[in-house]
């Protein structure tokens, strides 16, 4: 969406290797936050209001089918821009910032891997207090790791 790299080809690759995969779902009745719902090749999928495929709400509403973000090991995070410090610019809805706000005070926390085209790197992004920096960014040409914080 909007120039973001589509991580969908990774789904089957990870699943075949026995990795538990959870997809983000627009959380109902909560503004701009996400659920993470189990994915397997037969998960019922729907298209959300942004035109993005996600597990159906009926499937995701069953508590055994989802995990809170803090319980995940790694999140692959979409972005439209990033800098060398691993600051991320998303589409502007604040979904990931709200969902991951616990990371400012709770550890352990999942590793956040941004996926991007190399051409999406900029010299510097403005940083707001609510922004959560990424752990690493994987582009089509390189891996970007920020300096130690």
């Amino acid at each position: 969406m909007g120039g973001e790299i589509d991580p969908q080809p990774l789904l089957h690759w990870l699943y075949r290797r026995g990795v538990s995969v959870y997809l983000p779902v627009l959380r109902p009745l909560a503004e701009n936050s996400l659920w993470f719902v189990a994915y397997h090749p037969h998960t019922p999928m729907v298209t959300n209001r942004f035109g993005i495929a996600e597990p159906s709400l009926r499937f995701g509403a069953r508590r055994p089918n989802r995990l809170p973000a803090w319980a995940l090991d790694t999140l692959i995070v979409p972005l439209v821009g990033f800098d060398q410090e691993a600051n991320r610019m998303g589409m502007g809805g604040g979904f990931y910032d709200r969902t991951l706000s616990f990371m400012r005070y709770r550890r352990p926390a999942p590793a956040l891997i941004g996926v991007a085209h190399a051409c999406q790197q900029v010299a510097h992004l403005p940083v707001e207090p609510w922004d959560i920096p990424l752990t690493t960014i994987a582009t089509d040409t390189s891996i970007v790791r920020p300096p130690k914080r």
Side-chain angles (χ1 to χ4, degrees):
M1 177 172 181
E4 297 173 344
I5 281 188
D6 181 4
Q8 191 169 355
L10 281 174
L11 296 180
H12 296 294
W13 186 87
L14 291 167
Y15 187 76
R16 284 192 314 267
R17 283 156 182 77
V19 175
S20 297
V21 175
Y22 289 77
L23 298 179
V25 172
L26 300 179
R27 187 174 169 187
L29 307 175
E31 192 168 335
N32 294 8
S33 66
L34 302 168
W35 274 347
F36 291 92
V37 177
Y39 170 83
H40 53 74
H42 304 292
T43 298
M45 302 292 282
V46 298
T47 301
N48 69 22
R49 69 180 185 254
F50 298 112
I52 300 169
E54 66 181 20
S56 75
L57 281 179
R58 180 170 287 200
F59 180 78
R62 287 187 233 131
R63 197 170 292 270
N65 293 337
R66 65 179 194 261
L67 284 177
W70 57 262
L72 299 169
D73 293 323
T74 304
L75 270 75
I76 297 174
V77 183
L79 53 86
V80 296
F82 69 96
D83 64 17
Q84 191 65 37
E85 303 292 318
N87 295 306
R88 166 191 175 271
M89 178 180 289
M91 295 294 286
F95 289 91
Y96 283 92
D97 290 325
R98 282 182 187 83
T99 302
L100 300 173
S101 64
F102 72 90
M103 290 180 66
R104 287 192 286 278
Y105 58 87
R106 182 181 183 145
R107 297 286 184 238
L112 304 179
I113 302 173
V115 290
H117 301 282
C119 64
Q120 291 173 291
Q121 185 169 2
V122 298
H124 177 72
L125 284 174
V127 178
E128 301 295 340
W130 55 82
D131 289 336
I132 306 292
L134 301 173
T135 308
T136 302
I137 298 161
T139 77
D140 50 332
T141 62
S142 65
I143 302 294
V144 176
R145 291 186 177 90
K148 296 280 186 205
R149 291 184 175 87

